[in-house]
Amino acid sequence: MNNNFKVIFFDLFGVLLGPDYSELINYIHSITKESKNNIYQKVFDEDSMLFVRGEISFNDYFTSLQYKLDNGSSILEERFKYYWHNMVFGKTPVVLELLELKKKYKLYIITNTTNSHIEKIKFKFKFLKQFDGIITSDLAQSHKPDKKMFDYSLHQAKVKPSESIFIDDSLINVNAANKLMILSHH
């Protein structure tokens, strides 16, 4: 990597923590015939975060998802619920590299979740202590892909965009960071 880089910003859900969602995506694909990438983007969007944080009900999340998907009304709620609840949620392989990366870079998380949600998951996922900071939408008073979220993150890490790397599973967020001259990876 370029020696000018000082910090790596990671998205939390989808990059460091994530489910094995393959059975859920395959089920939806078998019904809708949409591309698996499109399905992933629609299933794990902001509405899914609202549901995971308990800010909307499963029924609200599922109904919203049905409208977003081609032929979404054909998805059976009980089948979807089965696949959703049987996803194994845990650390992704990237987590294994954090100690090595920490030797060369400051490490931050940029997440659209809340401070209270982070406090809940810190007990289960001890690796979160390895980060120099966790920037939530609460702290930044903004959400990715808003420029304000990235500006706040750069300020907290005390780095310039050209000294930063950003990794996210959302292409919209990656494109927003690229526009700010942050080297980004999807």
Side-chain angles (χ1 to χ4, degrees):
M1 287 189 159
N2 184 333
N3 288 336
N4 293 334
F5 294 116
K6 295 180 180 176
V7 66
I8 302 175
F9 294 108
F10 292 90
D11 175 45
L12 181 57
F13 297 102
V15 175
L16 299 170
L17 292 175
D20 178 357
Y21 49 79
S22 56
E23 287 186 6
L24 176 68
I25 298 295
N26 288 336
Y27 165 65
I28 295 170
H29 175 71
S30 73
I31 306 261
T32 67
K33 305 303 182 209
E34 281 194 52
S35 77
K36 291 180 181 181
N37 188 49
N38 284 347
I39 294 168
Y40 173 84
Q41 293 294 331
K42 292 174 183 178
V43 169
F44 298 104
D45 65 358
E46 185 60 26
D47 285 343
S48 72
M49 290 299 299
L50 293 172
F51 168 61
V52 168
R53 292 190 303 247
E55 296 173 21
I56 64 173
S57 69
F58 175 81
N59 188 54
D60 290 341
Y61 165 64
F62 181 73
T63 301
S64 171
L65 179 62
Q66 284 183 301
Y67 284 110
K68 293 174 195 171
L69 293 164
D70 294 339
N71 200 25
S73 61
S74 297
I75 297 170
L76 302 175
E77 183 176 352
E78 288 306 311
R79 282 284 296 274
F80 180 89
K81 193 180 281 187
Y82 169 81
Y83 288 122
W84 180 273
H85 289 297
N86 286 298
M87 288 188 290
V88 178
F89 188 81
K91 299 182 284 187
T92 66
V94 172
V95 172
L96 300 174
E97 304 299 324
L98 293 177
L99 286 176
E100 198 60 34
L101 290 170
K102 185 120 177 91
K103 292 176 184 176
K104 295 182 180 180
Y105 308 100
K106 291 191 289 184
L107 305 179
Y108 281 80
I109 293 172
I110 303 176
T111 179
N112 283 345
T113 195
T114 61
N115 293 336
S116 61
H117 190 217
I118 292 295
E119 289 306 313
K120 288 177 191 173
I121 66 173
K122 275 184 177 178
F123 294 106
K124 182 174 181 181
F125 299 106
K126 304 294 184 199
F127 76 89
L128 294 173
K129 294 177 184 174
Q130 296 176 30
F131 286 86
D132 296 287
I134 300 175
I135 298 159
T136 64
S137 55
D138 287 350
L139 292 172
Q141 297 181 346
S142 183
H143 290 85
K144 296 177 290 180
D146 191 318
K147 179 183 183 302
K148 185 177 175 184
M149 181 69 147
F150 292 105
D151 288 342
Y152 181 87
S153 300
L154 292 165
H155 177 75
Q156 289 300 113
K158 298 177 176 70
V159 293
K160 300 174 192 169
S162 62
E163 299 171 328
S164 306
I165 299 169
F166 174 65
I167 303 169
D168 199 308
D169 63 316
S170 167
L171 190 55
I172 293 168
N173 296 340
V174 167
N175 289 338
N178 275 331
K179 286 180 184 175
L180 299 172
M181 305 308 291
I182 299 171
L183 179 65
S184 302
H185 178 72
H186 180 242

